[in-house]
Amino acid sequence: MALPSVPRFGSLFPDPLNVRRGIPLYYLKSEEENRRDVYERYDELVARQTALHLADELHGGYPLRKVSDYIRQWLPDLADAAAVDIGCSVGRQIADIAGGHPNWDCYGLDFSYQMVRQAQDYWKEGKTLNPNLLRFGYPTVALQGQVLPNLHFALADAKTLPFPDRSLDLIVNTFLIDRLPDLSATFAEWLRVLKPGGRLITISPLNFLQLDHWRQHYPPMKIIDPLLRDGWDLLDLTDPLMIHEPMDARGNEVVWKTLAFVVESPC
């Protein structure tokens, strides 16, 4: 009797368009796109995201634990799975999944090279990060990274994913869908790459930046109803899931009234 094959982690990634510092690029951003993307400002927002997601010691625990808890509650019960976090920032959510499921093949995608680079350095190469957090009133910290062999990062566009059809068991996205220019096209792309019965976990404050997006997608049932008409199965709808994001050492914070939902793709 043949032994089960060992999964080749990262095998769902095809050949990239380019590679930068070991990071596959599946979208080549123009200079204008880089200029407009606030998350390409390494010393400002990347440091802040690093403090939020990786520097638990500054906060007495992970500030977005409610996000992680919600995701963990709705992870599929599978021994082996392929999972991706789209808009992964510095990789905390998908790293928690990969660390807790060493047999899963896990991927983190973001549209910001600087975010992906930080995630790669911390979770793949085990580097120690020393973010400059003085402007937020925090002391200098040394954040020791980890090496997760079942986790891979890349730069990609959320609506043009580098995965084969019906190849993923799970898509996670947090604080993302209110930043996407074409939400219906994005959901169609996510349906393409999910296996039948594959799971989508979404958490978003619905903090749209454009008036047209408010008109198209608010209230939240304008997002949920089209999914149901397309055959997705709704497993959970939590509105609101309240998230408190610390801003500085003084204790200032932003309170996000997020929409959280879980759906499974049509079988």
Side-chain angles (χ1 to χ4, degrees), residues 117-190:
R117 190 182 82 174
Q118 195 83 326
Q120 176 94 347
D121 285 351
Y122 188 83
W123 299 109
K124 289 296 296 176
E125 300 182 14
K127 292 183 179 179
T128 298
L129 305 181
N130 302 101
N132 180 4
L133 306 176
L134 297 177
R135 74 190 69 184
F136 308 115
Y138 295 122
T140 300
V141 292
L143 306 177
Q144 177 59 54
Q146 305 179 36
V147 177
L148 296 175
N150 61 328
L151 177 56
H152 293 77
F153 293 98
L155 186 151
D157 183 5
K159 71 175 185 301
T160 311
L161 300 178
F163 299 115
D165 295 354
R166 300 187 170 195
S167 59
L168 298 176
D169 298 281
L170 173 68
I171 292 176
V172 171
N173 65 100
T174 61
F175 288 74
L176 174 70
I177 63 172
D178 51 2
R179 296 297 181 265
L180 299 177
D182 190 339
L183 195 50
S184 60
T186 301
F187 281 132
E189 172 68 353
W190 295 356

Side-chain angles (χ1 to χ4, degrees), residues 232-261:
W232 295 78
D233 184 21
L234 180 64
L235 302 186
D236 183 74
L237 177 62
T238 298
D239 185 17
L241 179 67
M242 304 301 293
I243 305 298
H244 294 254
E245 178 183 340
M247 301 298 292
D248 55 38
R250 178 174 168 79
N252 291 308
E253 65 178 16
V254 174
V255 180
W256 296 108
K257 186 178 181 181
T258 71
L259 167 73
F261 66 88

